[in-house]
Each structure stands twice: as structure tokens, then as C-alpha cells.
Amino acid sequence: MKSVQVQAIAAIEELLRVSEIKKGQILVIGCSSSEIVGETIGHGSSFETAKLVFDAIYPILKDRGIYLAAQCCEHLNRALIIERDCGEKYGLEEVAVVPQPKAGGSFATCAWNGFSSPMAVEHIRAHAGLDIGGTLIGMHLKDVAVPVRLSVSKIGDASLLAARTRPKYIGGIRARYE
């Protein structure tokens, strides 16, 4: 399981470097602990594995002042667990739910337990994201998501997909963007 933490740290550090996400911005993570341990998503949840990943990633984000949005599973309509100050900064509306390993997911439950003042929200427009195990985070990214190919392609047995976002290009042929 130590390799899971090493892979998670390598993936998040590379994504932070490539995405150029800034202090005060939001990074969404969807994490299937089932996929990490080699099971089908939703059928082998491992709180211990999710905690290993959370404990590896969260301190890195917190030290850099980047907000983590932990995506819940489909049973909570992919709601997100965030720190209350993130919700206040971005004017997000709180919803009444507390994730559990079998209703929300183990990673979101770890976030709820690990944040100093957690809250749940339905929608977010994150600046970058990491999808661990096919959790479908795209709905929580800003409009123009750009795939990021990481040198780390898996955490445990779970495939990784990463993205950064960029502003929309508007204005047509005469416009300048830089």
C-alpha cells in the first residue's frame, strides 16, 4: 500500500506543476478506492485505501493553498466535499448531506473527516482535476478542460485521467489571446 501513496504523491505533484494551478484555486478529485484495489468501481470500497490517498494528497494541496473538492459517488449525485472557506470564497450553496463509505464514497468520507470545517455542495467549477478510477469528474471542471498526460498512469490498479482548464477563446480571427 505504500506504493499507492507514492503514486498519489507523484501524480498530484506532476498535475500541480503541469496545470499551473494557483493558490486559492480549486482542484477536484474523484477517487474510486474499489478500482485502486483492483475491484469494479462501487463494489470493493476500501476506506483504508482512500485514507492512504487522502493523507498523501491533502497536505500537499493545503500547503500550497489549493482547495480540494472531493467528489462523492453517484449515490449522492456526485456532490462535492469542500472546506467551508472555499465555499464562502466562491459563493457556493451548501447542501445537507454527510458522505459515508457506501453513500458518497470512502474518499469523500475521508475528506469530510479530514477537513477542519467541511461542507457539501452540488456544483463547482474547478480549475484542474484528477480522476482516479473512472469517477467522471468532468462535470465539475470549468468549461474548457484540457487533458493532461501524467507520467504516472495508475494509482494501484486504478487508471488516472487528469485535466487542467483554460479560458475560452472568443472573438474569431481578429482576436488576440496573449
Side-chain angles (χ1 to χ4, degrees):
M1 282 289 133
K2 186 71 174 164
S3 66
V4 165
Q5 287 186 308
V6 170
Q7 292 165 334
I9 289 167
I12 202 68
E13 286 180 345
E14 184 176 357
L15 177 57
L16 293 176
R17 188 174 57 257
V18 172
S19 69
E20 299 179 352
I21 192 168
K22 296 171 182 57
K23 181 178 181 176
Q25 292 185 328
I26 302 168
L27 187 136
V28 63
I29 295 179
C31 176
S32 170
S33 61
S34 300
E35 290 281 334
I36 292 172
V37 299
E39 299 291 330
T40 303
I41 194 168
H43 294 282
S45 186
S46 168
F47 184 81
E48 296 77 20
T49 300
K51 185 156 176 31
L52 285 173
V53 174
F54 179 82
D55 289 347
I57 289 173
Y58 183 57
I60 295 168
L61 297 176
K62 190 171 181 174
D63 286 348
R64 296 185 188 187
I66 296 167
Y67 293 114
L68 169 60
Q71 179 182 270
C72 295
C73 72
E74 65 183 287
H75 297 101
L76 297 185
N77 297 328
R78 302 201 194 293
L80 302 123
I81 306 306
I82 59 172
E83 288 277 12
R84 188 162 302 281
D85 61 334
C86 175
E88 290 170 359
K89 176 179 179 172
Y90 286 94
L92 301 173
E93 184 177 348
E94 185 173 12
V95 294
V97 71
V98 175
Q100 305 298 312
K102 299 289 185 183
S106 292
F107 187 77
T109 303
C110 288
W112 184 272
N113 294 337
F115 289 167
S116 60
S117 182
M119 69 183 272
V121 298
E122 269 190 293
H123 306 288
I124 212 160
R125 305 306 290 166
H127 302 89
L130 186 63
D131 183 325
I132 305 169
T135 60
L136 303 176
I137 63 167
M139 66 193 283
H140 298 303
L141 293 170
K142 288 179 164 272
D143 284 343
V144 184
V146 179
V148 173
R149 302 277 183 230
L150 301 175
S151 60
V152 178
S153 62
K154 289 186 173 239
I155 295 178
D157 286 341
S159 296
L160 291 182
L161 295 173
R164 64 177 179 83
T165 61
R166 66 159 175 77
K168 294 179 182 181
Y169 293 151
I170 61 169
I173 197 164
R174 294 182 184 182
R176 290 187 180 191
Y177 303 110
E178 298 284 330

